[in-house]
Amino acid sequence: MQLALDSLDRLVDTLEERGPLTAVEAARSLFATPSISAGLASSLLGELTAGDSRVACIGGSIALADGRVDPPLDEAEFVVFDLETTGLSPARDRICELGAVRVRGLELVDSFESLVNPGVALPEPVARLTGLRQADLRAAPPAAAVVRRFLAFAGDALLVAHNAGFDQRFLEQQLVTLDGRRLSEPPLCTAALARRLLEGRLRRVGLASLANFFGVPTAPCHRALPDAEATAQVLVRLIGLSQELGAQRLSELRALAAPRKRRVYDKRALAKGAPARPGVYLFHDRHGQVLYVGRSRDLRARLRSYFRSERQRPSVEAALLALDRIEWRVLGSELEAALEELRLIRELEPPANSRSRRRERGVYLRRRGDDFVVSKQPGPLGPIGSRRQAGLAARALALASDEELERLLDGGPLPRLRERLAHLAESLRYEEAARLRDRIEALEAVAERLARLRRLRRLRACLVAPSPEPGWRTGFFVAGGLVRAVRPLPPGAGSLVEIEAGLASCHDEPGEEPLSAEQAEDLLLVGGFVRRPPPELAVLPLDAERIAAHVKRGQ
């Protein structure tokens, strides 16, 4: 099912680029076949596109459908919706609230709201941000029931959302599970529309910024219905601006919200031939200089994404404008690609990589009298990736007692600081309270990072991942806070020799010497894969028999 949906997306992309195609041309492009009969092509495409309103098969040709209703903007109907979720990944996280508002004749006329039982625990940061409670969510209906009710509420109205791609991905994840389909057309994005209509007038187009700019009555608060109401009110103001520019119909509003063709679009042929496998890629200019290094578990999909309509961050966009050649290197796994990406960035220092521009990749906190200072000299309190965050944490630690410092990784000084914050707020000393709040947040982040590094330094494991060579595996041996060895594990008895060599490098116990910034970066990267390993990665103890048995099973 997922393959069919991905194929439909590729077909729509091709039709948008090239216009209508014959069935044979579309089938050759879609199925990568040099020869196919017209009858077979029409049959395959007919089955693939059945029920998808984005495309139309007419005789022996296929084109994008063009039968959408196009009412005047004063009469158009919109359903503006917003989701609250347990996280940022549609594949792993779940919807926990859905709210929507109907806009008809530029007036808010109806609303929809429901909590959703996500079936998983609500993360504490999300609970703090939204004010949602786990007990309320347990009593809520499941996502499938809420989504069905929402679609019935929306009917045929055009869906609208702020940063619509995020909400669309979560909503379509549910639709694919329910009916094996996606939305017939993407929601209109108010962020994209604002970016076009307010260019040069407003730097940020976040919902809170737009609500403040337009002075709408509803303030966004990270709850689904209020945020949908604020988005709807912003939409009405944006429609007014679009009418001032001459837009009269819904199609013209869609055109204003559609991403404009970027100058780098014509360079998309440079990504042709990239395989759908893990690896790293390097952007070269016409002089051969490496401008940017990246990695992906699917090189083809990642490289193609650079040339679609969404602009990249400014440094990467500049690299794409100067791009002359793309080099890619196929590797066995996403873990191997991630480690290779770090190595290449350190070695080549590409100008478009943010990490390569940060010469000071790690700082440390050191005590000086009763105060703390930020230093490049290695010490136990570091490395910290942000100098600004380290500076705020140093101010928070001023006058901390020895007992508090001993319990720093468990939040030692934080209770005292939070009491002080509450006192300042109650005394209406808001400016002082805001400064202390920023210092507390920085100290919390620093303490969490240092605690995580301490845990990872005790990690002793072998991470077994696929190798670029068929039938082989790669073993990453981690101990004492370092990746001690990376060994190829061939099929058969030869793997035992490599396993023993890898284990021999792991005899060292965790040392007390401070980690360098690069060592901490490597360790945190590996820790992320250990915490949430992808399906192809196995995390095993440093035991030769266990590792050998796993390698044998994978042959």
Side-chain angles (χ1 to χ4, degrees):
M1 179 61 69
Q2 186 64 45
L3 289 175
L5 293 171
D6 291 342
S7 298
L8 271 169
D9 288 343
R10 293 202 306 274
L11 178 60
V12 171
D13 287 345
T14 302
L15 293 173
E16 287 175 345
E17 293 175 15
R18 300 171 56 183
L21 299 172
T22 67
V24 171
E25 290 172 332
R28 285 176 178 172
S29 172
L30 194 60
F31 304 121
T33 178
S35 176
I36 188 171
S37 68
L40 179 58
S42 297
S43 175
L44 291 174
L45 290 170
E47 292 178 6
L48 180 66
T49 60
D52 193 298
S53 61
R54 294 175 295 175
V55 295
C57 295
I58 305 172
S61 66
I62 185 166
L64 293 175
D66 192 22
R68 295 183 293 193
V69 178
D70 192 18
L73 288 174
D74 290 340
E75 301 174 10
E77 185 170 327
F78 307 89
V79 168
V80 185
F81 73 103
D82 182 76
L83 305 177
E84 297 301 328
T85 64
T86 61
L88 302 178
S89 170
R92 294 192 301 266
D93 300 310
R94 301 291 182 266
I95 300 170
C96 55
E97 189 178 26
L98 196 159
V101 176
R102 188 183 306 280
V103 177
R104 183 187 298 132
L106 303 184
E107 297 286 342
L108 281 63
V109 297
D110 199 1
S111 65
F112 172 95
E113 181 182 23
S114 179
L115 294 176
V116 179
N117 186 344
V120 297
L122 186 68
E124 181 59 30
V126 176
R128 287 200 304 268
L129 182 68
T130 62
L132 294 170
R133 297 186 303 171
Q134 187 70 46
D136 295 332
L137 296 182
R138 286 198 198 98
V146 175
V147 168
R148 287 192 190 280
R149 286 171 47 215
F150 166 68
L151 293 177
F153 170 83
D156 295 328
L158 177 65
L159 295 180
V160 180
H162 197 75
N163 289 321
F166 175 84
D167 299 274
Q168 179 185 354
R169 287 190 291 272
F170 273 91
L171 185 58
E172 288 190 334
Q173 184 76 16
Q174 283 298 321
L175 288 176
V176 169
T177 303
L178 286 173
D179 303 317
R181 66 183 178 93
R182 292 181 176 175
L183 296 173
S184 59
E185 63 176 317
L188 181 78
C189 180
T190 48
L193 186 61
R195 201 172 287 116
R196 179 73 176 273
L197 295 174
L198 298 174
E199 188 172 8
R201 298 173 61 187
L202 190 64
R203 182 181 175 190
R204 299 182 183 276
V205 293
L207 183 56
S209 297
L210 290 172
N212 181 66
F213 179 81
F214 287 117
V216 302
T218 304
C221 61
H222 296 289
R223 290 297 300 268
L225 183 57
D227 285 7
E229 289 175 346
T231 304
Q233 292 157 1
V234 166
L235 172 67
V236 172
R237 270 57 165 198
L238 291 172
I239 290 175
L241 291 179
S242 71
Q243 290 173 320
E244 292 176 11
L245 295 176
Q248 297 180 6
R249 293 192 170 271
L250 186 57
S251 61
E252 294 168 319
L253 187 70
R254 283 195 187 98
L256 286 171
R260 286 173 283 186
K261 182 178 176 181
R262 291 157 60 223
R263 290 165 58 191
V264 301
Y265 180 74
D266 294 331
K267 296 185 179 184
R268 63 192 185 281
L270 295 175
K272 187 176 181 180
R277 297 181 60 187
V280 296
Y281 53 90
L282 298 85
F283 290 171
H284 296 264
D285 66 10
R286 61 189 180 90
H287 302 293
Q289 179 186 355
V290 176
L291 303 171
Y292 181 75
V293 173
R295 49 102 171 181
S296 176
R297 66 181 294 115
D298 185 335
L299 287 169
R300 180 170 62 193
R302 183 68 184 104
L303 290 175
R304 287 182 59 182
S305 73
Y306 283 106
F307 304 101
R308 292 179 180 159
S309 298
E310 299 85 0
R311 289 181 60 85
Q312 307 292 322
R313 68 174 186 268
S315 60
V316 178
E317 191 74 13
L320 289 169
L321 290 171
L323 178 64
D324 183 70
R325 179 173 64 89
I326 300 176
E327 173 191 356
W328 54 77
R329 303 175 187 177
V330 175
L331 299 170
S333 65
E334 190 178 4
L335 171 60
E336 186 176 3
L339 290 170
E340 179 66 4
E341 178 195 31
L342 282 182
R343 187 191 69 80
L344 288 171
I345 289 173
R346 293 165 185 162
E347 176 184 327
L348 302 174
E349 297 191 345
N353 284 91
S354 58
R355 275 192 294 261
S356 67
R357 295 199 306 272
R358 256 188 355 242
R359 300 289 181 174
E360 296 182 355
R361 295 191 184 93
V363 294
Y364 302 79
L365 296 180
R366 301 185 66 83
R367 193 160 196 172
R368 181 180 292 170
D370 290 334
D371 294 327
F372 279 81
V373 296
V374 179
S375 170
K376 288 294 294 179
Q377 184 178 349
L381 298 182
I384 302 164
S386 164
R387 178 176 280 272
R388 178 180 179 278
Q389 189 179 72
L392 290 170
R395 295 186 185 96
L397 286 174
L399 303 178
S401 67
D402 292 337
E403 181 183 357
E404 287 178 329
L405 290 175
E406 288 178 3
R407 297 186 296 105
L408 175 61
L409 302 190
D410 300 323
L414 291 174
R416 172 176 55 84
L417 294 172
R418 292 190 183 109
E419 288 180 8
R420 173 66 176 165
L421 179 62
H423 173 72
L424 291 174
E426 291 171 0
S427 303
L428 307 183
R429 296 158 65 179
Y430 294 124
E431 291 186 6
E432 292 179 70
R435 287 195 294 269
L436 182 57
R437 178 204 60 206
D438 292 343
R439 294 172 186 176
I440 290 174
E441 290 177 354
L443 182 59
E444 287 175 333
V446 167
E448 193 279 332
R449 175 186 171 94
L450 296 179
R452 187 178 173 197
L453 285 172
R454 175 176 288 184
R455 292 194 301 270
L456 289 173
R457 294 192 75 169
R458 296 194 291 267
L459 174 66
R460 294 176 58 81
C462 176
L463 283 63
V464 180
S467 169
E469 296 292 329
W472 288 53
R473 297 288 184 271
T474 302
F476 300 84
F477 294 83
V478 181
L482 300 172
V483 179
R484 298 288 181 174
V486 179
R487 309 294 302 188
L489 305 178
S495 63
L496 289 173
V497 177
E498 297 292 345
I499 292 170
E500 292 294 345
L503 294 175
S505 65
C506 296
H507 291 322
D508 294 343
E509 293 296 326
E512 295 299 325
E513 67 281 0
L515 290 172
S516 69
E518 292 184 353
Q519 288 172 339
E521 195 171 30
D522 287 348
L523 191 56
L524 290 170
L525 185 149
V526 171
F529 280 90
V530 170
R531 188 172 68 254
R532 285 187 173 178
E536 71 275 8
L537 184 68
V539 181
L540 304 171
L542 294 179
D543 180 273
E545 291 185 3
R546 292 276 301 275
I547 300 170
H550 177 82
V551 172
K552 185 177 180 179
R553 283 197 303 271
Q555 294 174 7

